[in-house]
Amino acid sequence: AAGGTLNAPANPKAASAGVATFASVDYDTSETIYLKATAGGMTAVCTGSIAVDPAAASQVVFTTEPAGTGTAGSNLSTQPIVEIRDPFDNVVSSTNTVTLTAYTDSGCTSASGGTFNGGTKAAVAGVATFTAVNHEKDETIYLKASEGGLTTDCSTAVDVTHATADYLSYTTEPSTTATAGADLSTQPVVTVYDTYANVVLSSSDSITLAAYTDSGCTSATGGTLGATTNPLSASSGVATFASVDYDTTETVYLKASSGGLTVDCSNNIVVSSAAAAKVVFATEPAGTGTAGSNLSTQPIVEIQDAFDNVVNSTNTVTLTAYTDSGCTAASGGTFNGGSKAAVAGVSTFTAVNH
């Protein structure tokens, strides 16, 4: 017996004057069939062959669902196969192109924002066999098969995970201004990505921050970069640094690096001096002098913070003469020229004598 369904308004049909005239007989499966007529114990009769062709195409159907899991950017291990069918599920011998599109819901109504590749294929005898389907975004997707105005089909879920780690990027840039020795007001956060910009959630890579003086992060600074932990291991692909500070007044850039991954260089950070904490001789006075005559080398004194940075101050610096190296025993002589207002934190004396 054939596997399809034979339809007729009346079957069996009562004969009239020995003749049974059937009406509206049809068969729903595309194949060659023969109709056998039987009646009680009479000898049966079989028709000649009837070649049943498919009806007009009305739908597309997944006959092989895509693999349930995949890696971003890599072809699915099981590629989908889609058939163009008539309303009775017969394959229609078509060469039309079937298109696959990625969606994020099982009803295939919310389009994915990721890049989907390999999603068009011309059918051969009504069958589109895909070979290079992949998706670049880390997400669960469903594939909608479509062809013109035919009824579409939505696949089973495909759980796409990230590819291998490829590069680092600041997801939170450090603050653009800072005070020497003080924690940055905005602490940097560095994320590990694959080549398709997916966060590598499996990554625990150790990430190192280092300070540079140029935007390409090629010239290392001379100052000290501090942090609670540096290098810092990523957690689920993200390294959130804490208590990052820099102790020298200059403009710096932070380079994030980890093994062979592509590095990232931060925005610039303009580091200003901390509060004034000390005065320091930048130029010592001459080692010898003549009473009442200005020293041949006049002293220069800087107002500095705790990290040896010059503080932009106009305060007056005072020199006083002592007779011991610890400056505890005051001199009884007359000392002249010993006070000078600083300019940008520097007091340049010009008339010091004793």
Side-chain angles (χ1 to χ4, degrees):
T5 300
L6 182 69
N7 301 297
N11 186 23
K13 176 78 171 177
S16 174
V19 179
T21 303
F22 289 85
S24 299
V25 174
D26 70 75
Y27 186 71
D28 68 359
T29 302
S30 176
E31 61 183 343
T32 297
I33 60 171
Y34 302 81
L35 301 183
K36 184 166 99 172
T38 60
M42 299 179 189
T43 301
V45 64
C46 199
T47 69
S49 61
I50 304 170
V52 182
D53 293 326
S58 66
Q59 59 181 323
V60 288
V61 177
F62 282 97
T63 52
T64 298
E65 295 280 354
T69 58
T71 300
S74 295
N75 291 344
L76 297 178
S77 59
T78 301
Q79 293 285 310
I81 299 175
V82 177
E83 290 182 351
I84 300 172
R85 294 181 176 180
D86 68 12
F88 309 103
D89 291 331
N90 299 301
V91 177
V92 176
S93 186
S94 169
T95 57
N96 288 357
T97 296
V98 176
T99 300
L100 301 181
T101 310
Y103 289 80
T104 58
D105 64 306
S106 61
C108 287
T109 58
S110 299
S112 164
T115 299
F116 181 72
N117 302 306
T120 59
K121 196 73 175 179
V124 175
V127 180
T129 304
F130 292 85
T131 57
V133 169
N134 67 72
H135 189 61
E136 295 181 3
K137 188 176 181 182
D138 181 353
E139 62 182 348
T140 297
I141 59 171
Y142 301 80
L143 306 184
K144 182 167 79 172
S146 60
E147 193 281 294
L150 305 186
T151 301
T152 62
D153 194 15
C154 196
S155 76
T156 54
V158 183
D159 184 16
V160 181
T161 57
H162 59 75
T164 57
D166 182 69
Y167 68 93
L168 303 177
S169 182
Y170 283 95
T171 43
T172 300
E173 294 273 356
S175 49
T176 57
T177 59
T179 300
D183 291 354
L184 299 178
S185 58
T186 301
Q187 293 288 308
V189 178
V190 179
T191 301
V192 182
Y193 291 98
D194 66 14
T195 192
Y196 305 106
N198 299 301
V199 178
V200 180
L201 297 173
S202 62
S203 172
S204 58
D205 289 296
S206 180
I207 298 172
T208 301
L209 296 182
Y212 289 79
T213 58
D214 63 305
S215 61
C217 287
T218 59
S219 299
T221 67
T224 300
L225 181 71
T228 300
T229 305
N230 186 25
L232 177 65
S233 294
S235 174
S236 298
V238 179
T240 303
F241 287 86
S243 299
V244 173
D245 69 80
Y246 187 70
D247 69 356
T248 303
T249 55
E250 59 184 340
T251 297
V252 297
Y253 303 79
L254 303 185
K255 181 169 81 172
S257 61
S258 178
L261 302 184
T262 301
V263 303
D264 194 18
C265 197
S266 77
N267 55 218
N268 67 312
I269 307 168
V270 180
V271 183
S272 303
S273 59
K278 58 186 177 179
V279 288
V280 176
F281 282 99
T283 299
E284 294 279 351
T288 59
T290 300
S293 297
N294 291 344
L295 296 177
S296 59
T297 302
Q298 292 287 308
I300 300 175
V301 177
E302 292 181 349
I303 301 172
Q304 296 183 352
D305 64 15
F307 307 101
D308 299 334
N309 300 300
V310 177
V311 177
N312 188 15
S313 170
T314 57
N315 289 355
T316 296
V317 176
T318 300
L319 301 180
T320 309
Y322 289 80
T323 59
D324 63 311
S325 62
C327 289
T328 58
S331 166
T334 300
F335 182 71
N336 302 306
S339 66
K340 195 73 174 179
V343 176
V346 180
S347 292
T348 303
F349 292 85
T350 57
V352 171
N353 67 71
H354 189 59

